[in-house]
């Protein structure tokens, strides 16, 4: 009998569970142990903030989020998770699969129809959880050939779900207050071609000027209209009305050409689905 171990043993799949009800966390963990014994639960959170911290620490493959938690909802936590730095040369490498745990059918149905996240209704039933697990296994296995999760579709879905959960949220941003030289200017958001962030500042680029603000991309994503501004990279938002076209360089990377500016904007793998067929 050949007992030689495989030299290419698959890395263990790791998960995080977040639910403000301890019994629900325990029940889900027990069900997962039955249908997915290979899954390693590396952290449990009782609120959204703890979930974000655990994901930043462990970089799991999948996160199970209760959609309604105190302080920071599962939807809001997922939006923050999608903005976390990867700590890897490939900025898409650590974006986890998201599964919402919910008692509300309306959220579950929309998430399922979008196809970029999954859901499990409370209490987690073995048969339905098995379906979710099979989907997750396929998505995780496909990462090697098809790339990371569809971050673009995920962000759009999360913004829709957040709007449903927070119907009285402030209106979308209409003006950018930015530093231009020694002065402060009010820039209409529709005039902005794109935003690019570094570690400290975000560059605001229009056809006629370049300005700086201290607001990071993760905050702009939540404050801007997702139909007007598409996130194409962890550090880049582009005005959809300013997109002139998309090309590929010699390395196969997608590059967005912008009307009114010579700079080409790189599209990371997670957001490549925005330009399918191009």
């Amino acid at each position: 009998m050949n007992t030689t171990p495989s030299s290419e043993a698959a890395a263990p799949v790791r998960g995080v569970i977040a639910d403000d009800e301890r019994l629900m966390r325990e029940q889900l963990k027990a069900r997962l142990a039955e249908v997915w014994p290979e899954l390693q639960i590396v952290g449990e959170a009782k609120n959204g903030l703890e979930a974000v911290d655990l994901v930043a620490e462990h970089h799991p493959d999948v996160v199970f989020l209760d959609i309604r938690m105190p302080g920071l909802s599962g939807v809001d936590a997922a939006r923050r998770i999608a903005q976390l730095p990867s700590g890897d040369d490939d900025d898409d490498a650590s974006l986890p699969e998201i599964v919402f745990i919910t008692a509300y059918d309306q959220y579950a149905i929309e998430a399922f129809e979008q196809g970029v996240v999954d859901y499990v209704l409370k209490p987690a039933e073995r048969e339905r959880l098995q379906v979710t697990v099979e989907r997750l296994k396929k998505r995780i296995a496909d990462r090697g050939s098809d790339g990371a999760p569809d971050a673009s579709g995920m962000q759009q879905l999360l913004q829709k779900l957040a709007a449903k959960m927070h119907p009285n949220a402030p209106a979308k941003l209409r003006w950018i207050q930015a530093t231009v030289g020694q002065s402060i200017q009010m820039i209409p958001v529709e005039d902005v071609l794109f935003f690019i962030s570094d570690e400290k500042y975000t560059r605001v680029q229009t056809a006629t000027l370049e300005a700086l603000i201290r607001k990071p991309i993760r905050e702009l994503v939540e404050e801007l209209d997702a139909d007007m501004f598409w996130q194409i990279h962890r550090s880049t938002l582009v005005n959809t009305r300013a997109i002139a076209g998309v090309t590929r360089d010699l390395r196969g990377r997608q590059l967005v050409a912008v009307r009114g500016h010579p700079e080409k904007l790189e599209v990371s793998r997670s957001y490549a689905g925005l330009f399918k067929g191009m």
Side-chain angles (χ1 to χ4, degrees):
M1 181 174 64
N2 183 7
T3 59
T4 304
S6 170
S7 61
E8 296 183 0
V13 179
R14 301 182 304 161
V16 164
I17 294 174
D19 196 308
D20 59 315
E21 298 179 60
R22 180 180 59 82
L23 290 178
M24 285 296 177
R25 293 198 305 271
E26 292 179 354
Q27 191 250 12
L28 177 59
K29 190 174 180 180
R31 286 283 185 269
L32 284 169
E34 294 173 4
V35 301
W36 199 359
E38 306 84 7
L39 177 66
Q40 294 183 4
I41 301 300
V42 296
E44 297 182 39
K46 59 181 179 292
N47 57 59
L49 287 173
E50 287 185 6
V52 175
D53 289 342
L54 285 173
V55 172
E57 178 182 356
H58 295 287
H59 298 287
D61 301 284
V62 57
V63 184
F64 297 88
L65 291 169
D66 181 15
I67 205 166
R68 288 191 179 274
M69 289 184 287
L72 193 69
S73 73
V75 172
D76 293 330
R79 297 180 77 179
R80 294 198 185 184
I81 288 168
Q83 294 294 320
L84 287 173
S86 66
D88 193 287
D89 290 339
D90 182 351
D91 64 271
D92 303 320
S94 66
L95 183 62
E97 302 290 343
I98 299 294
V99 179
F100 285 129
I101 312 300
T102 176
Y104 301 91
D105 283 319
Q106 66 268 33
Y107 302 130
I109 290 171
E110 183 160 3
F112 177 72
E113 289 177 346
Q114 292 283 334
V116 292
V117 300
D118 213 322
Y119 73 94
V120 174
L121 289 175
K122 290 184 177 183
E125 298 293 340
R126 181 188 176 98
E127 292 76 13
R128 177 63 183 85
L129 191 58
Q130 182 70 61
V131 173
T132 292
V133 166
E134 292 305 316
R135 288 199 189 106
L136 290 170
K137 287 181 177 179
K138 183 177 187 306
R139 289 179 182 176
I140 292 170
D142 286 346
R143 290 188 183 192
S145 57
D146 297 335
D150 180 7
S152 57
M154 185 185 297
Q155 287 285 13
Q156 291 175 358
L157 169 62
L158 294 176
Q159 188 174 67
K160 290 179 181 178
L161 293 178
K164 284 187 175 182
M165 295 183 70
H166 310 295
N168 298 320
K172 294 302 177 183
L173 202 62
R174 297 178 58 193
W175 299 86
I176 300 293
Q177 182 175 304
T179 301
V180 181
Q182 299 300 314
S183 65
I184 301 293
Q185 290 197 18
M186 299 294 290
I187 304 171
V189 294
E190 59 265 25
D191 290 349
V192 178
L193 302 177
F194 56 84
F195 298 90
I196 294 183
S197 284
D198 58 21
E199 294 181 0
K200 190 173 182 180
Y201 294 100
T202 295
R203 173 158 61 106
V204 182
Q205 186 68 56
T206 76
T208 58
L209 62 84
E210 178 180 306
L212 295 175
I213 59 175
R214 289 186 176 270
K215 190 183 294 288
I217 289 292
R218 66 177 179 273
E219 292 183 17
L220 287 169
V221 165
E222 297 183 2
E223 296 177 2
L224 292 166
D225 184 341
D227 292 327
M228 179 182 293
F229 285 91
W230 283 0
Q231 184 168 19
I232 60 172
H233 192 282
R234 286 188 186 276
S235 62
T236 310
L237 294 170
V238 62
N239 190 330
T240 56
R241 301 172 187 175
I243 295 175
V246 181
T247 58
R248 290 187 182 273
D249 65 10
L250 295 177
R251 295 170 56 189
R253 297 176 304 176
Q254 290 180 324
L255 300 175
V256 172
V258 180
R259 295 187 183 91
H261 198 271
E263 190 167 348
K264 297 289 183 68
L265 308 176
E266 181 182 348
V267 182
S268 66
R269 287 188 307 139
S270 290
Y271 300 95
L274 288 166
F275 307 104
K276 283 182 180 178
M278 299 185 71

